[in-house]
Amino acid sequence: MRKGLTLIELIFSMLIIAIVFSVVPKIIFASNKSMASSMKEDALFNAYTLLGTIYRLPWDENTLSGGDILDTAESAACDNRRVGSFFGARNCKDSDESASAIGREEANIYNDIDDYFDYNEDVNVTDKKKYVLEIKINYVNKNYEINTTNTRERKEIVATISSHDDNKKMKGFQSSFVYHSANLGLIPIKKKRWR
């Protein structure tokens, strides 16, 4: 009965061990990289979905009551159709409602765009913080510059995702989505049937 390995068996054993030790770290690295990419995709998808929910809400709290395009602090007073609009389009003539200040009118009620102005959430999975989702709402002027004093025609919605301090796989990750919403009211556009 044989008590040892032959030289060929020993060489094959060493070869198998060498292959295992060279391949396994690459598999682990690829798996970790895939997990980080999956987390980033999840974060981006959640931010984009929330942004889509927000910009479909009414433009302002006062839009809910009258449905008109609201009077604003724009230097050119809103007394007719918007520049660039077509005949029969919505207008703000005789509107007696003004746009409200940025902010939530009632606690925990999100019924218009600016109610999300201070939204900030740590998104967790199994007690481990994955990322931070933050929403900022600002009034912007016609040049899309943040300006809260002399214009309330457009709102800028910024959804930002950033890695949480506890998440080492997404360390340093940050991305933003931006959407501009115009003061257009809720009244449907007048239309005629095509003949």
Side-chain angles (χ1 to χ4, degrees):
M1 188 185 232
R2 199 173 63 172
K3 293 190 177 186
L5 296 172
T6 65
L7 183 59
I8 292 177
E9 290 172 335
L10 186 61
I11 289 173
F12 276 123
S13 303
M14 289 171 40
L15 184 63
I16 290 170
I17 290 170
I19 289 171
V20 167
F21 278 110
S22 64
V23 170
V24 169
K26 290 180 182 177
I27 292 172
I28 293 171
F29 176 76
S31 173
N32 285 341
K33 194 172 182 181
S34 174
M35 188 179 296
S37 295
S38 177
M39 283 183 189
K40 290 175 185 176
E41 288 174 6
D42 182 48
L44 291 168
F45 179 76
N46 284 342
Y48 189 73
T49 302
L50 182 57
L51 182 69
T53 300
I54 294 169
Y55 75 69
R56 287 178 179 88
L57 289 172
W59 192 79
D60 191 89
E61 180 74 18
N62 292 333
T63 306
L64 294 167
S65 57
D68 296 330
I69 297 171
L70 304 175
D71 285 333
T72 64
E74 186 73 47
S75 55
C78 180
D79 58 2
N80 207 330
R81 291 186 192 92
R82 286 283 182 262
V83 174
S85 67
F86 50 90
F87 182 75
R90 295 172 278 202
N91 63 62
C92 57
K93 191 172 182 180
D94 302 324
S95 172
D96 56 355
E97 296 279 6
S98 296
S100 63
I102 294 283
R104 199 171 320 133
E105 293 77 24
E106 298 177 47
N108 299 324
I109 295 178
Y110 297 91
N111 61 2
D112 66 337
I113 289 174
D114 59 84
D115 287 346
Y116 284 87
F117 84 105
D118 61 350
Y119 186 88
N120 191 316
E121 180 183 3
D122 288 350
V123 179
N124 302 326
V125 172
T126 62
D127 298 330
K128 293 184 179 179
K129 293 181 172 73
K130 284 175 52 175
Y131 53 88
V132 178
L133 177 55
E134 184 179 22
I135 303 291
K136 294 289 181 195
I137 310 289
N138 299 300
Y139 282 122
V140 292
N141 63 20
K142 61 186 175 183
N143 297 322
Y144 298 103
E145 299 162 336
I146 294 173
N147 192 339
T148 58
T149 55
N150 64 1
T151 184
R152 291 186 174 185
E153 293 298 314
R154 295 178 189 92
K155 289 181 180 174
E156 178 184 63
I157 309 165
V158 182
T160 303
I161 313 103
S162 55
S163 60
H164 195 277
D165 295 339
D166 296 346
N167 190 341
K168 306 236 183 310
K169 293 188 189 313
M170 285 178 60
K171 188 174 182 177
F173 175 74
Q174 184 171 357
S175 186
S176 294
F177 294 103
V178 179
Y179 182 83
H180 290 103
S181 180
N183 176 15
L184 294 174
L186 293 174
I187 299 172
I189 297 172
K190 293 178 188 175
K191 57 187 180 227
K192 287 186 178 180
R193 188 174 172 192
W194 180 263
R195 293 180 190 226

